[in-house]
Amino acid sequence: MMKKGLWGSELKRARLAAALTQEQLSLRSKLDTATIDAIEAGVVEPGLEELFRLALALGIEADELVKTVWQKNLDSSDH
């Protein structure tokens, strides 16, 4: 089971690393700012299309996001 909030924290980390605001990421990904905010807040998890849009907007591969979140989930399960 995926620990709640991992997608959000990783999206926020990647967004900040790309020096983007939520609004800028919204424009680049063509996703609503409220959706990005909800993902970052851990209220919702991104669907497959959202994941690809966000990765493209961030200039990273979607599998990079997935691997990082999955590894963090495994690490948190060990405790």
Side-chain angles (χ1 to χ4, degrees):
M1 188 159 146
M2 186 68 65
K3 184 178 174 189
K4 189 170 175 80
L6 288 177
W7 284 108
S9 62
E10 184 54 28
L11 175 60
K12 185 173 183 177
R13 184 209 59 76
R15 177 178 61 78
L16 294 175
L20 296 173
T21 65
Q22 285 185 345
E23 292 78 16
Q24 290 168 323
L25 182 56
S26 172
L27 289 171
R28 287 183 178 194
S29 66
K30 305 223 183 336
L31 293 172
D32 191 86
T33 305
T35 299
I36 293 170
D37 184 54
I39 295 170
E40 286 190 3
V43 176
V44 299
E45 292 185 353
L48 191 57
E49 182 178 344
E50 292 166 328
L51 177 65
F52 278 98
R53 285 179 178 217
L54 290 165
L56 183 63
L58 290 165
I60 59 177
E61 298 291 326
D63 69 330
E64 187 178 327
L65 278 174
V66 173
K67 287 177 189 176
T68 302
V69 170
W70 187 252
Q71 188 60 53
K72 287 181 179 182
N73 188 61
L74 289 176
D75 292 347
S76 69
S77 298
D78 291 340
H79 299 120

